[in-house]
């Protein structure tokens, strides 16, 4: 479609990308936020295409924008601004492209989460049943008791802490094998 750019102009201009031009218009009308006019010559708002999940746009856009990084998500088509991930949550799908995330999920046990990013507790630490909103820093990961560690990253309970070599479990603590005879520890 076209529009007459100035009163009395002898020709009409082609409607620009990012806009539509109803019959008789004197200026292009921007496609609404959350939609795009990816081609020239649109003449109805319905011809502006809705941005898909993982994308957004502002008024008058010719292209949908990627949602952002791990701290943002776009969970419905036609968003006019990305949504920020809640504190203690990660953007999802976690294995997908961070710039086009479509949802969020609570930070899992055994980890802490910040700005939509998941960080597992290191070996020798665990993070248990704190609510996701409180799992936002490395301080969430608690150290295993003395002379114990975990076998893996992301331990979620103190019971995953195991006595290190040369120590044995005794009444919830790890004792030196030499301090208690008959434990079966190697010397």
């Amino acid at each position: 479609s076209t529009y007459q750019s100035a009163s009395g102009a002898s020709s009409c201009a082609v409607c620009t990308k990012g806009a539509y031009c109803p019959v008789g218009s004197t200026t292009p009308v921007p496609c609404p936020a959350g939609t795009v006019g990816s081609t020239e010559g649109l003449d109805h708002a319905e011809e502006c295409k809705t941005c898909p999940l993982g994308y957004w746009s502002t008024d008058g856009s010719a292209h949908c924008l990627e949602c952002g990084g791990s701290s943002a998500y776009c969970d419905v088509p036609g968003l006019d601004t990305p949504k920020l991930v809640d504190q203690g949550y990660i953007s999802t799908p976690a294995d997908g492209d961070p710039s086009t995330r479509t949802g969020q999920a609570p930070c899992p046990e055994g980890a802490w989460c910040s700005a939509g990013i998941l960080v597992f507790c290191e070996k020798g630490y665990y993070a248990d049943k704190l609510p996701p909103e409180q799992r936002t820093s490395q301080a969430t990961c608690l150290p295993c008791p003395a002379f114990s560690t975990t076998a893996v990253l992301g331990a979620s309970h103190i019971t995953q802490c195991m006595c290190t070599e040369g120590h044995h479990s005794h009444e919830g603590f790890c004792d030196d094998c030499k301090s208690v005879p008959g434990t079966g520890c190697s010397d």
Side-chain angles (χ1 to χ4, degrees), residues 145-146 148 158 161 163 168-175:
S148 69
I158 193 169
C161 296
C163 295
H168 74 97
S169 181
H170 179 72
E171 296 178 4
F173 297 97
C174 294
D175 291 329

Side-chain angles (χ1 to χ4, degrees), residues 22-107:
V23 174
S25 61
T26 57
T27 59
V29 178
C31 285
T35 68
V36 294
S38 56
T39 59
E40 294 177 331
L42 303 181
D43 50 28
H44 298 291
E46 297 78 29
E47 292 177 287
C48 298
K49 294 185 174 151
T50 301
C51 291
L53 292 173
Y55 294 84
W56 68 285
S57 73
T58 59
D59 287 339
S61 294
H63 304 286
C64 295
L65 302 169
E66 292 180 340
C67 197
S70 295
S71 63
Y73 65 101
C74 296
D75 62 343
V76 294
L79 280 180
D80 61 358
T81 187
K83 296 179 180 180
L84 292 178
V85 173
D86 291 334
Q87 187 171 332
Y89 284 69
I90 59 170
S91 55
T92 60
D95 59 350
D97 183 343
S99 60
T100 56
R101 300 277 168 89
T102 58
Q104 67 174 351
C107 188

Side-chain angles (χ1 to χ4, degrees), residues 110-136:
W112 60 280
C113 300
S114 178
I117 298 171
L118 170 103
V119 181
F120 287 109
C121 293
E122 295 290 325
K123 285 185 179 180
Y125 292 82
Y126 67 96
D128 54 15
K129 297 192 180 295
L130 285 174
E133 298 78 18
Q134 293 178 17
R135 277 190 248 133
T136 59

